Amino acid sequence: MSARDVEQRAAAWIVQRDQPDWTSDDDAELRGWLELDHAHKAAFWRLDHGWRAADRLVALKQNTATVNATARRTRWRYAAMAMAACLICALALTVMLGIGRNRAGDPTAVRFATAVGGQRDVTLADGSRIKINTDSALVAEVDRTSRDVRLDRGEAFFDIAHDAQHPFVIHAGDRRITVLGTRFSVRRDGATVRVVVVEGRVRVEDAGSTAGAAAIVTAGKVAVAHGASLLVVDRSPQVVEDTLSWRRGRLTFDQTMLGDAVAEFNRYNRQQIRINDDRAARIRIGGSFEATNSAAFARLLHTAFGLEVRTEGDTIIISS
């Protein structure tokens, strides 16, 4: 992103922040954008300071004692205020009228993020829809001629609008997932990427090498990629649905080791669960649970398996 693009985006954030429909999700998204690059922070605070400085200049006008001096200073204050306001408004107008495009004609990157336990529904410019899962972040660059998304962390479910002329491409770590129109999820845990296809088909390949592992993944299949390895397995419709039950705020397990189930719960909750011994961690469990209620899950473990459950601060400790 060029310096001009960064300033345009910063100006848009400042305008949006002052709107009455600004939400906590918007605030989290702004913080995420600021953390992406020091240049983002510099542009945002520079423009924000200019806007606030203009307000202060107007306020100072009321405290001037000398009429002639007031007249002279007022002209300079209004000039300074106008320059600051025009800068922000012009940049914001460029963003809005340009429909998010930069000078080169490329789509402007828009970042979406969720907090721990949060989810977010997003509709992109091409009509594609994304449901973003807990503690996730992605950057979308989508318009009528280009469709690219970068999944920085976490998980998202994609419902892609069909466009045979413009494939939709998702970058997740060192993997590239290419689709025309389909429904599927992508989860990134560090270097491991998992793709679950509900409908249609996608191509999963190594983004950095033409000779790397690649596969066509169709409905009912799950692809797991790590390093040079790419494994594709068949799953029943029910297993696929259970894997994606997080879209309904649920976690579904079937003969899952408790240690793995706890790791999933910890993705959704600030109150973390810790298992103190291997015997308890190897217990296999099944069922459907509310993803953001780790305390209720722990109580069920005590009732069903007689496990000891105690709370220390923000941690639930489980032992046999």
Side-chain angles (χ1 to χ4, degrees):
M1 204 182 259
S2 69
R4 180 180 176 83
D5 294 332
V6 171
E7 288 212 340
Q8 288 178 345
R9 187 61 186 140
W13 276 122
I14 291 172
V15 172
Q16 293 167 15
R17 184 193 56 185
D18 292 334
Q19 302 308 307
D21 58 351
W22 181 263
T23 66
S24 57
D25 283 342
D26 295 325
D27 198 56
E29 189 178 331
L30 170 58
R31 290 197 303 271
W33 183 80
L34 292 173
E35 292 301 323
L36 271 179
D37 196 304
H38 288 300
H40 294 183
K41 291 182 180 178
F44 182 87
W45 297 123
R46 182 171 61 253
L47 292 177
D48 190 52
H49 177 74
W51 186 261
R52 294 178 187 279
D55 286 342
R56 288 195 299 271
L57 286 171
V58 173
L60 284 173
K61 170 179 174 288
Q62 301 172 355
N63 298 324
T64 306
T66 305
V67 173
N68 291 337
T70 297
R72 289 194 298 271
R73 284 194 290 269
T74 297
R75 286 194 295 270
W76 286 105
R77 286 166 187 155
Y78 276 121
M81 180 183 68
M83 286 177 6
C86 286
L87 174 61
I88 291 178
C89 290
L91 287 172
L93 191 60
T94 300
V95 172
M96 291 184 283
L97 294 182
I99 318 177
R101 300 178 68 84
N102 60 28
R103 284 188 299 176
D106 296 326
T108 298
V110 181
R111 181 179 175 85
F112 302 99
T114 56
V116 172
Q119 293 184 354
R120 183 171 185 178
D121 294 305
V122 172
T123 300
L124 302 178
D126 68 334
S128 296
R129 293 176 295 175
I130 307 175
K131 189 173 188 70
I132 308 171
N133 201 6
T134 176
D135 192 22
S136 302
L138 60 82
V139 177
E141 299 183 54
V142 174
D143 69 358
R144 282 182 278 181
T145 62
S146 177
R147 308 197 295 171
D148 286 274
V149 166
R150 186 182 76 242
L151 180 63
D152 290 332
R153 72 171 187 275
E155 185 173 22
F157 182 83
F158 297 85
D159 188 346
I160 303 302
H162 182 79
D163 184 347
Q165 300 302 314
H166 305 102
F168 196 104
V169 180
I170 300 165
H171 305 271
D174 60 0
R175 296 291 156 174
R176 180 171 57 237
I177 300 106
T178 305
V179 302
L180 294 177
T182 187
R183 300 170 65 239
F184 62 101
S185 72
V186 180
R187 174 172 169 179
R188 180 182 177 187
D189 294 310
T192 301
V193 175
R194 183 178 67 179
V195 179
V196 180
V197 180
V198 174
E199 180 182 301
R201 64 177 187 169
V202 304
R203 183 172 70 248
V204 181
E205 59 191 325
D206 188 333
S209 172
T210 56
I216 300 297
V217 187
T218 56
K221 288 183 166 53
V222 177
V224 181
H226 184 89
S229 301
L230 176 60
L231 175 68
V232 180
V233 294
D234 281 307
R235 289 288 183 258
S236 69
Q238 186 58 55
V239 169
V240 169
E241 183 61 28
D242 289 349
T243 301
L244 300 174
S245 62
W246 60 264
R247 294 176 298 167
R248 305 188 306 275
R250 311 289 296 180
L251 293 178
T252 303
F253 306 116
D254 182 13
Q255 291 300 301
T256 303
M257 287 198 297
L258 181 57
D260 294 332
V262 162
E264 279 298 293
F265 262 96
N266 286 342
R267 293 178 60 214
Y268 294 81
N269 295 274
R270 296 194 180 280
Q271 185 178 41
Q272 299 283 281
I273 301 175
R274 189 177 77 223
I275 303 178
N276 261 3
D277 60 86
D278 291 340
R279 179 175 174 274
R282 290 194 299 270
I283 293 174
R284 293 191 176 273
I285 68 167
S288 179
F289 308 90
E290 185 181 354
T292 55
N293 196 339
S294 53
F297 177 64
R299 288 195 297 271
L300 287 173
L301 294 176
H302 172 71
T303 302
F305 299 100
L307 298 176
E308 180 184 340
V309 176
R310 70 179 191 276
T311 301
E312 294 183 1
D314 288 334
T315 304
I316 298 174
I317 300 172
I318 296 175
S319 55
S320 56

